[in-house]
Amino acid sequence: MANSFATRLAAALLVACLATAARADDVTPQPSPSPSTQAPPIQQAPTGQKGRAGRGEAGPNANASANTSTAEQHRLPPDSTTKQSLALPGRSLAFTAAAGSIRVFDDKGEPLADIAYTSYQLDGADKATRPVTFLFNGGPGSSSAWLQFGNVGPWRLSFDGAVSSAAPELMPNADTWLDFTDLVFIDPVGTGYSRFVTTSEEARKHFFTVDGDANSVALVIRRWLEKYDRLTSPKYVVGESYGGIRGPKVVRNLQMQQGIGPRGLILISPVLDFREYAGSSILQYVASLPTMAAVARQAKGPVTRDDLADVEHYARSDFLLDLVKGQADAEATTRLADKVADLTGIDQTVSRRLAGRFDIGEFRREFDRKNGKVTGRYDASVEGLDPYPDSSYFRFNDPSGDPLMAPLTSAAVDLTTRKLNWRPDGSYHLLSENVNKAWDFGHGVNPAESVTQLRQTLALDPKLKLLIGHGLFDLATPYFASRIILDQLPAFAGQDRTKLVVYPGGHMFYSRDGSRQAFRKEVEALMR
């Protein structure tokens, strides 16, 4: 971080610059750091857990930019628009697909990045009344392919039981949301085909900050609405995983900086507050216990959230009270450890050794260690072989997520280049480790959270609605964490405006047909 006032002032100016597109009045004001305060180091990622006015190339002084030649070398190809059709059970859909990018400029008209999108608009619909929904995943560093090809888009890749060598065959998606809303999938910088065109290291760093990222996505949403003459359409925002941090901040920026008023925010398997996911917070154990119990019970048969009412009650009451008493109270600790062993099926000796306080990694390994298996993090009902079953260290990955990487990447590239006829050079980044490692989650004692923006957006617009969907077996972002947060909201954010739904499945609960279809009905009801 900066060690001089001049350097820190330049970094502060970049905050405003990033929120700019083709017009100088696109600048989004941001608070500047105090010149008398030494900026703390960037925190590592918390644990818990992608010259045409329409493209934004006609900004002021753009032709005079010193970086024009460099930008042109890195630019994405012109947008591709194609006519498509789908034959689905009981209906057919004719729609226009567009694959392309929106260029983001600073306030001097110098290009910063090309942010890729894929949109699907139903033919013959009234733009004034037809909803349009903007979707992004999380990571940070994840492209939107998970939502597009696993859940919402016109074509779907089967996630259920996938292996790395599976053929990346896309099929018509009978559960697409295109029946009731147009769809725009956004890949933040560094994900998918989105890329930097600037050589400024400071400008690049700002895209990988919590606020800089949200501002850039909000700006792209506004520019897309302008490009396709959709400013009067009903608008919705959907975010998955880290999208729970990004989503509320994007909506707040749209309301306050971009002049756009979304009608609804839909969050899928979100993280809303990193403060409770790591460190010494005892709430991390409260949030994850119902999910761990759900994993144990599903091993014996089908489980729904209703089946976990006793665990949720225990987590809120006696479990929390015994956690607060701490290990200084031996009786409370033994009582807690034995109860956790009973609920999760983990050996009582192990539970007592850990004082009933299982972090995610420990649970994943201990749940079926006798058979040399580990559970998934995204979906703990999925088990895989531990490559180092005798190691004293955790040296395993995620059997519920890793097998999807190869087929999903290939499917995304194949559809974009072959069916949508958009052929960028360079690699497609489904899940970028470089972006994730470079991410600035915040400074000091204030880890990233979006509950503040949730409260602000709901208070500002009494018609705005919030829908949150979770999977029962998701250890990356346990559903009970969202339940705890929603229960703290003021009365103005009551059940008539905010709703939590929980389905069998994991982080990508939509990989299960029943869960995907049930959630689709909830979304359609929200938009109708």
Side-chain angles (χ1 to χ4, degrees):
M1 300 301 293
N3 293 315
S4 70
F5 173 75
T7 307
R8 282 144 46 78
L9 180 59
L13 291 174
L14 278 167
V15 180
C17 294
L18 177 57
T20 303
R23 299 196 303 270
D25 60 0
D26 285 342
V27 176
T28 301
Q30 298 288 333
S32 300
S34 168
S36 62
T37 303
Q38 175 74 24
I42 295 174
Q43 293 183 351
Q44 296 299 312
T47 56
Q49 80 176 306
K50 353 227 263 357
R52 291 184 305 282
R55 284 177 55 89
E57 285 123 17
N61 303 320
N63 292 332
S65 170
N67 293 326
T68 297
S69 60
T70 300
E72 292 309 305
Q73 292 175 10
H74 295 284
R75 71 173 301 132
L76 288 169
D79 299 0
S80 173
T81 301
T82 56
K83 291 292 186 178
Q84 304 287 343
S85 63
L86 280 181
L88 300 173
R91 83 275 194 200
S92 60
L93 300 177
F95 57 97
T96 300
S101 65
I102 290 176
R103 177 159 287 192
V104 177
F105 292 84
D106 67 13
D107 60 351
K108 296 180 181 178
E110 295 182 356
L112 298 175
D114 283 350
I115 298 181
Y117 69 87
T118 306
S119 66
Y120 304 102
Q121 299 185 72
L122 194 68
D123 292 343
D126 181 1
K127 290 184 177 181
T129 58
R130 171 80 171 169
V132 57
T133 300
F134 297 88
L135 306 97
F136 41 78
N137 276 80
S142 176
S143 76
S144 61
W146 308 87
L147 282 174
Q148 180 174 180
F149 303 116
N151 188 11
V152 177
W155 298 278
R156 189 173 67 84
L157 178 71
S158 177
F159 283 10
D160 193 21
V163 295
S164 293
S165 58
E169 296 178 358
L170 291 170
M171 66 189 79
N173 182 11
D175 302 317
T176 179
W177 296 4
L178 190 57
D179 290 273
F180 52 85
T181 179
D182 291 335
L183 303 168
V184 184
F185 297 92
I186 299 173
D187 293 333
V189 180
T191 73
Y193 286 116
S194 297
R195 61 187 61 175
F196 289 112
V197 295
T198 181
T199 58
S200 168
E201 198 61 32
E202 287 301 316
R204 288 168 172 256
K205 287 180 180 179
H206 189 69
F207 276 91
F208 296 157
T209 65
V210 174
D211 289 335
D213 163 73
N215 294 349
S216 68
V217 172
L219 177 60
V220 168
I221 290 174
R222 196 205 75 201
R223 298 303 304 281
W224 188 94
L225 290 166
E226 293 173 340
K227 175 182 176 70
Y228 288 98
D229 192 25
R230 299 298 299 271
L231 287 169
T232 61
S233 301
K235 308 160 195 74
Y236 296 86
V237 173
V238 178
E240 179 178 314
S241 195
Y242 178 81
I245 298 292
R246 178 184 284 145
K249 292 178 182 294
V250 166
V251 171
R252 182 64 173 168
N253 185 281
L254 288 170
Q255 290 176 329
M256 301 303 295
Q257 304 296 338
Q258 306 299 335
I260 304 296
R263 292 192 182 183
L265 173 61
I266 301 164
L267 299 177
I268 298 173
S269 306
V271 53
L272 298 170
D273 192 340
F274 275 118
R275 291 173 297 185
E276 308 302 347
Y277 275 79
S280 60
S281 172
I282 60 175
L283 284 181
Q284 63 182 303
Y285 305 116
V286 176
S288 61
L289 182 61
T291 293
M292 294 178 181
V295 174
R297 292 180 180 183
Q298 66 80 33
K300 301 175 182 178
V303 177
T304 68
R305 188 189 172 194
D306 290 341
D307 299 323
L308 298 169
D310 62 315
V311 186
E312 291 186 15
H313 176 73
Y314 171 66
R316 289 180 182 271
S317 55
D318 292 344
F319 180 66
L320 180 58
L321 289 174
D322 282 345
L323 279 174
V324 171
K325 291 175 183 177
Q327 296 188 55
D329 188 327
E331 182 179 348
T333 299
T334 300
R335 179 171 59 242
L336 179 155
D338 290 352
K339 181 66 173 180
V340 169
D342 178 62
L343 290 173
T344 63
I346 290 179
D347 185 83
Q348 185 185 78
T349 303
V350 175
S351 187
R352 286 189 176 187
R353 174 169 57 82
L354 296 172
R357 293 156 170 83
F358 285 87
D359 69 22
I360 301 304
E362 288 167 335
F363 174 83
R364 291 178 58 203
R365 192 179 205 197
E366 295 296 339
F367 181 72
D368 197 13
R369 190 170 188 175
K370 63 181 180 296
N371 292 316
K373 293 184 177 181
V374 295
T375 78
R377 177 171 173 264
Y378 283 148
D379 187 340
S381 70
V382 175
E383 290 189 330
L385 294 172
D386 186 345
Y388 296 93
D390 300 321
S391 173
S392 298
Y393 302 96
F394 298 172
R395 301 172 67 182
F396 52 83
N397 292 316
D398 190 344
S400 65
D402 290 359
L404 295 170
M405 296 292 290
L408 187 54
T409 300
S410 295
V413 172
D414 182 65
L415 180 127
T416 302
T417 58
R418 184 174 55 83
K419 186 176 286 289
L420 303 186
N421 198 32
W422 195 54
R423 296 179 172 83
D425 58 4
S427 299
Y428 177 91
H429 299 286
L430 177 70
L431 192 60
S432 172
E433 290 187 6
N434 291 334
V435 172
N436 191 269
K437 290 177 180 179
W439 205 262
D440 180 354
F441 280 90
H443 305 296
V445 295
N446 296 308
E449 57 88 16
S450 62
V451 181
T452 298
Q453 287 73 33
L454 272 182
R455 285 173 170 256
Q456 291 171 334
T457 56
L458 290 167
L460 177 65
D461 186 348
K463 293 186 177 181
L464 179 70
K465 292 190 176 183
L466 170 67
L467 173 64
I468 297 179
H470 273 283
L472 275 175
F473 314 127
D474 179 8
L475 285 173
T477 56
Y479 78 89
F480 203 52
S482 291
R483 179 71 274 164
I484 292 170
I485 288 171
L486 290 178
D487 287 344
Q488 309 307 311
L489 296 179
F492 64 74
Q495 294 182 0
D496 60 325
R497 299 183 60 200
T498 63
K499 187 173 185 179
L500 172 68
V501 290
V502 184
Y503 304 106
H507 201 65
M508 292 79 76
F509 60 81
Y510 45 78
S511 67
R512 302 192 182 199
D513 292 347
S515 298
R516 181 178 65 256
Q517 292 159 6
F519 190 65
R520 181 185 186 274
K521 290 180 180 178
E522 292 284 353
V523 174
E524 184 175 10
L526 177 73
M527 295 187 183
R528 295 295 190 195

